[in-house]
Amino acid sequence: MKLTEKETEILEILEKDSRLTTETIAKMIDLSVEETETLIKRLEERRIIVDYSTTIDWKKVDGHEGVTAMIDVKVTPKRGVGFDEIAERIYRFKEVKSVYLMSGAYDLSVTIEGKTMSDIAHFVSEKLSTLDSVISTTTHFILKKYKHDGKIFDQDDRDNRIVVSP
């Protein structure tokens, strides 16, 4: 779908900070508030803007640490639907946060969240690996998050300026 220059600008602005007001965005792209609201509404209706989300560092919140795992899944695609049908079956599980079709040794990359490693193990052994098309899985646990969706975690507030002395 071909977008106008202003629509593309709006998408780039919202991708960096979806909390900006329509008034601020309108000033940034040199349009009226009404024109900006219309463009944003059109982008939402076309499902180009799918959602507005917040990045949270859960490890800083007591009782919400949890475990995140990335699972490489090798599957047998079905005739006529390819990988889409099995991907849909997988992303419908509540634990699943994302599913991607990948190139390389594995077909799908699945990201899931659970409260414990045991929750992740239960999901893989009882839900994921029992699906007909799933041939094999490899689970990787995320030990520390440094950067996610362009946002850096645990960036300290040290003064990194060079010390200049006479």
Side-chain angles (χ1 to χ4, degrees), residues 58-133:
W58 284 109
K59 76 176 179 22
K60 292 182 178 178
V61 180
D62 291 339
H64 284 50
E65 294 84 9
V67 178
T68 303
M70 298 176 78
I71 306 167
D72 297 326
V73 184
K74 190 174 222 34
V75 300
T76 303
K78 290 194 175 181
R79 188 179 313 250
V81 292
F83 296 100
D84 295 346
E85 184 179 291
I86 188 65
E88 182 178 346
R89 289 182 67 195
I90 292 170
Y91 72 60
R92 292 197 179 280
F93 290 115
K94 66 178 175 40
E95 299 91 343
V96 174
K97 300 302 171 198
S98 63
V99 178
Y100 301 99
L101 179 62
M102 305 295 288
S103 64
Y106 289 87
D107 303 308
L108 299 174
S109 177
V110 179
T111 305
I112 69 166
E113 292 179 357
K115 291 183 181 176
T116 65
M117 290 177 113
S118 181
D119 287 345
I120 304 294
H122 180 264
F123 173 82
V124 173
S125 65
E126 301 296 322
K127 294 180 180 179
L128 186 59
S129 64
T130 61
L131 296 174
D132 292 338
S133 297

Side-chain angles (χ1 to χ4, degrees), residues 3 6 23-24 39-40 43 46 52 57 63 74 78 88 103 106-107 119-120 122 134 140 144 146 157:
L3 298 180
K6 295 297 183 185
E23 292 79 14
T24 302
L39 290 177
I40 291 172
L43 291 166
R46 291 186 198 161
Y52 298 92
D57 190 352
K74 190 174 222 34
K78 290 194 175 181
E88 182 178 346
S103 64
Y106 289 87
D107 303 308
D119 287 345
I120 304 294
H122 180 264
V134 173
H140 310 274
K144 182 174 182 180
Y146 294 100
D157 294 328

Side-chain angles (χ1 to χ4, degrees), residues 1 121 141 145 151:
M1 176 175 303
F141 290 96
K145 195 180 293 188
K151 305 294 181 207

Side-chain angles (χ1 to χ4, degrees), residues 36-50:
T36 304
E37 285 173 345
T38 300
L39 290 177
I40 291 172
K41 184 171 175 52
R42 186 176 333 148
L43 291 166
E44 291 170 342
E45 288 169 351
R46 291 186 198 161
R47 303 265 312 142
I48 294 170
I49 296 176
V50 178

Side-chain angles (χ1 to χ4, degrees), residues 17-54:
D17 186 356
S18 62
R19 295 187 69 193
L20 292 175
T21 64
T22 308
E23 292 79 14
T24 302
I25 296 169
K27 287 177 188 173
M28 292 171 78
I29 63 171
D30 196 29
L31 285 180
S32 71
V33 172
E34 294 76 21
E35 290 171 310
T36 304
E37 285 173 345
T38 300
L39 290 177
I40 291 172
K41 184 171 175 52
R42 186 176 333 148
L43 291 166
E44 291 170 342
E45 288 169 351
R46 291 186 198 161
R47 303 265 312 142
I48 294 170
I49 296 176
V50 178
D51 195 14
Y52 298 92
S53 63
T54 303

